[in-house]
Amino acid sequence: RQMCIRDRLRAGAVMGFAGLWSVWTGADDKHVFTCCVITTTANELVRPFHERMPAILEPADNAAWLNAHTPKKTLGALLKTYPADLMEVREANPLVNSAK
């Protein structure tokens, strides 16, 4: 049996990932919505599973991330590896990895 792992903040707190989105017009003149999650180097908790992890934002930084007027240098400073001691690893239901 394959064990599925999920990372989360301690006590199950909600986490916000840094991401980008865009809307553009396709060849058929329909709007196309695209998005991505920004990743960073994995911390020591995530590293056994993968070398990258989502850039997790501190709750106090969410407003700055979402503000179109925040300087790029400030935004770049938010893209750091989240501290492992604020996270935990738990076994997840195997259905998480199922393509069904």
Side-chain angles (χ1 to χ4, degrees):
R1 175 174 166 247
Q2 179 183 354
M3 184 169 78
C4 301
I5 301 296
R6 65 183 172 139
D7 306 318
R8 69 179 196 174
L9 300 186
R10 290 195 181 275
V14 174
M15 66 176 108
F17 294 164
L20 300 171
W21 67 273
S22 179
V23 180
W24 51 279
T25 304
D28 57 1
D29 288 330
K30 290 187 180 179
H31 291 295
V32 179
F33 295 84
T34 59
C35 63
C36 68
V37 173
I38 298 173
T39 63
T40 187
T41 305
N43 62 27
E44 55 271 19
L45 186 73
V46 176
R47 197 172 301 120
F49 308 104
H50 201 280
E51 65 202 32
R52 306 287 296 167
M53 66 181 282
I56 300 171
L57 300 172
E58 296 284 347
D61 296 331
N62 289 342
W65 183 260
L66 295 172
N67 185 335
H69 301 291
T70 301
K72 289 179 184 176
K73 186 174 183 177
T74 301
L75 294 173
L78 301 179
L79 302 177
K80 55 186 181 262
T81 303
Y82 201 78
D85 62 330
L86 299 178
M87 298 177 69
E88 64 184 0
V89 174
R90 303 281 299 256
E91 186 173 354
N93 187 311
L95 294 175
V96 170
N97 283 342
S98 174
K100 296 177 186 175

